[in-house]
Amino acid sequence: GAAADEHLFPIGGVDVRWRMEDCGKRIILDFFSDGELLSWRWDELEVVPGLGAVPDLLWGVGHVGPLTFTYSLERVPVIFKPPVLDTEPCSKMHDAGPEEAAMLDLEERLRNCSVPKVDPEEKGPFLMRWLRSTSFDVEAAEAGIRRHVEWWKEYGMDDFRDEDEFDEQGPLFVCGEDLQGYPTLIARPCVHFAKDEEESMQAARRCVFTLQRCIERMPRGAEKFTLIYDVANVTLTNLDMTFSRALIDILNNHFVGRLGSIVVVNMNWMIWSLQAILKPLLGSSTDDAIVFCGSDFKATFLDMVPEDHPYLCYALAVQSLPAEEAAALPLPKASPYVTQRQEPVTKQRSGGASPTRSAPSPSALHRVGALVSKWPCCACDRLGLVHSYFG
C-alpha cells in the first residue's frame, strides 16, 4: 500500500482541500490550481444522518462556473456478482443452473418478440448481456428488452442514412482497432458546438448511429468496444449537458453491456475538476473501466491498442509539435464501414501487428511527407505516421 505520508493530490497541478461548515453538517471542497483558489469551482457535501462514525451517505452539489451537477457518495457492502458465462445457444443447454435457467426463462418470455439487429446466432449473448445488467432479474431484463424494441422503432434507428455516421471531423468516429481486433471509437468533444437544443439532439442522434455502426463492424462473438475520449482543447463552450445526457442515457439503456474500457486522455487542470460529471452519467457499471490520463497517456494506450493505432500515432505527433503545426496536423481517417458480423472472433493483435492497408497516393504521400520531415523523432516513426493517416 501507499506510505502514510503520500497524498492523492495534487494531480495535474490541481489540489483539493476540504473544510467543515454549519457545525460539521456540511463539507466544502475547494479547488486550487498551482496554489491559486479557483473561485468558479467548488463542491458542497451534505452528510445524511446515520449510525456509526463513518457516514453512510453524502449528497453532493458540484459548481462549475454557472453550471451545477449533483451526485452522491454511498458506503455500500460488497455484493456478489454472478460469474460471466460462456453462453451457448439456449436450445443446447442441459441440466441448467440458476443463470442458465434465467436464460431459458427469458428466452421463453421473448419467444414472440423480434429484436432488431440481432440474428439467431447472436441471441444468446444478447440475452446474457441484459441478464448481467439486471443481476439476473428475468422480469427486469424482459422489461428492458421490450422497451428497447419500442425505442428502436420510435427513435428511427432503421431510418438513418450512411452519411449520418460521423467521420473524423465529428465529435465521435470509428478509427482503428484494439489489441483484440475490435473497432475503437474516438470522442473529440472539442469540435462539438450546439447553438440550441435542436442541434444538441441532432448531434446526439448522429452519435447514436455512429455507435451502432461501430457495433456492426465488430466480429461475431465480440461484445465490447474501447472508447478513447480526447479532451484536448475542450473549453466550457463545448460542455453541452443536453447532448451528453441524451447520448449517455441511450448508451446505458439501449446498448447494454457494449461499452468496455474508456480512456480519457489529455486531461488539463480544468477537465480534472470536471471528471465528477462523467462517472455519475455513465453509471456505476463502468467505474472500474474509466482511466483518466494527462499527457502521459502512451503506456495506458498500449494496454488497449497496438502501437501503430492511427489515433495513438496522431496524439503523440500532436504532443511533439508546436501548437501552430499541431493544429495543422490532419486527423487520422475514420475506418471504412465494413460489417464483420459474419466472421467469428479468431484474432488477437500484438503490439507490433499491423492490419492490411491500401497504399497512399503519391500526391498525398508527398504533401504529408513534406510536413512530417520537419517533425522531431517520437515514438511513432515518420513513415509509420504517414502510413497510418492514409490507411
Side-chain angles (χ1 to χ4, degrees):
D5 59 349
E6 291 183 358
H7 301 283
L8 176 61
F9 289 95
I11 299 176
V14 175
D15 197 7
V16 179
R17 304 173 192 175
W18 65 275
R19 52 190 169 87
M20 303 290 289
E21 289 190 354
D22 297 341
C23 299
K25 296 180 181 179
R26 197 162 61 117
I27 301 171
I28 303 297
L29 302 180
D30 293 318
F31 290 75
F32 294 77
S33 177
D34 297 325
E36 296 292 328
L37 176 66
L38 300 177
S39 59
W40 54 270
R41 178 70 179 97
W42 77 96
D43 283 6
E44 304 173 63
L45 295 173
E46 180 183 353
V47 177
V48 178
L51 299 176
V54 180
D56 289 322
L57 184 64
L58 297 173
W59 288 112
V61 179
H63 299 265
V64 185
L67 306 175
T68 61
F69 60 93
T70 59
Y71 60 94
S72 63
L73 303 176
E74 184 176 4
R75 186 164 63 95
V76 296
V78 175
I79 301 174
F80 171 75
K81 294 184 178 180
V84 176
L85 301 175
D86 289 324
T87 60
E88 303 177 66
C90 296
S91 61
K92 296 183 180 180
M93 290 185 180
H94 302 284
D95 302 322
E99 291 81 21
E100 292 91 342
M103 171 81 96
L104 289 168
D105 186 7
L106 182 58
E107 185 179 39
E108 180 61 29
R109 289 167 180 250
L110 296 170
R111 183 171 298 280
N112 297 320
C113 179
S114 178
V115 180
K117 295 288 186 179
V118 177
D119 62 34
E121 293 185 18
E122 294 177 311
K123 190 171 183 180
F126 172 82
L127 298 179
M128 182 57 71
R129 286 195 297 272
W130 279 89
L131 284 169
R132 290 184 196 131
S133 73
T134 61
S135 298
F136 288 81
D137 183 328
V138 177
E139 289 188 3
E142 179 193 4
I145 292 172
R146 292 189 182 278
R147 285 194 300 269
H148 170 71
V149 171
E150 290 303 312
W151 167 84
W152 187 280
K153 298 175 184 176
E154 293 172 1
Y155 202 73
M157 287 297 292
D158 292 324
D159 299 331
F160 284 101
R161 300 166 298 177
D162 290 348
E163 55 267 31
D164 290 327
E165 179 182 354
F166 277 122
D167 63 13
E168 65 275 7
Q169 301 303 321
L172 187 72
F173 66 102
V174 182
C175 180
E177 298 177 339
D178 64 16
L179 290 174
Q180 294 179 294
Y182 304 167
T184 50
L185 266 177
I186 311 297
R188 298 182 67 246
C190 67
V191 302
H192 174 72
F193 298 94
K195 293 183 294 186
D196 52 38
E197 183 175 346
E198 183 179 353
E199 284 195 4
S200 296
M201 297 305 292
Q202 183 58 33
R205 282 181 58 84
R206 292 187 65 186
C207 284
V208 170
F209 182 58
T210 301
L211 173 58
Q212 175 62 28
R213 298 265 281 195
C214 175
I215 291 171
E216 291 174 11
R217 288 173 170 89
M218 297 170 71
R220 186 182 302 282
E223 291 197 337
K224 298 187 177 185
F225 60 85
T226 297
L227 174 64
I228 298 170
Y229 197 92
D230 189 352
V231 294
N233 303 316
V234 168
T235 66
L236 288 175
T237 59
N238 303 119
L239 300 179
D240 180 351
M241 295 304 292
T242 299
F243 165 82
S244 299
R245 288 188 183 279
L247 180 58
I248 294 174
D249 178 70
I250 291 172
L251 177 64
N252 283 337
N253 292 301
H254 300 289
F255 292 89
V256 171
R258 288 300 197 179
L259 181 58
S261 299
I262 308 171
V263 186
V264 185
V265 300
N266 287 316
M267 296 283 287
N268 57 38
W269 63 270
M270 183 187 76
I271 303 299
W272 275 115
S273 65
L274 297 178
Q275 64 172 295
I277 296 176
L278 184 60
K279 284 191 174 184
L281 286 174
L282 287 170
S284 59
S285 62
T286 58
D287 283 352
D288 295 334
I290 304 178
V291 181
F292 293 93
C293 306
S295 58
D296 54 342
F297 52 76
K298 182 184 175 184
T300 302
F301 256 90
L302 292 178
D303 286 339
M304 302 176 186
V305 301
E307 62 184 357
D308 68 337
H309 190 281
Y311 202 81
L312 171 59
C313 294
Y314 166 79
L316 290 173
V318 167
Q319 277 191 337
S320 70
L321 294 173
E324 185 175 345
E325 292 184 40
L329 191 67
L331 285 159
K333 295 291 185 183
S335 300
Y337 175 68
V338 179
T339 179
Q340 299 186 48
R341 303 184 86 176
Q342 72 279 6
E343 299 176 6
V345 179
T346 57
K347 59 180 178 178
Q348 175 84 17
R349 293 200 58 185
S350 64
S354 178
T356 302
R357 297 186 175 99
S358 57
S361 67
S363 60
L365 189 59
H366 174 75
R367 289 196 307 273
V368 178
L371 174 64
V372 301
S373 64
K374 299 183 293 182
W375 297 353
C377 293
C378 62
C380 297
D381 62 86
R382 296 166 183 162
L383 182 58
L385 285 167
V386 175
H387 191 56
S388 296
Y389 293 148
F390 292 90

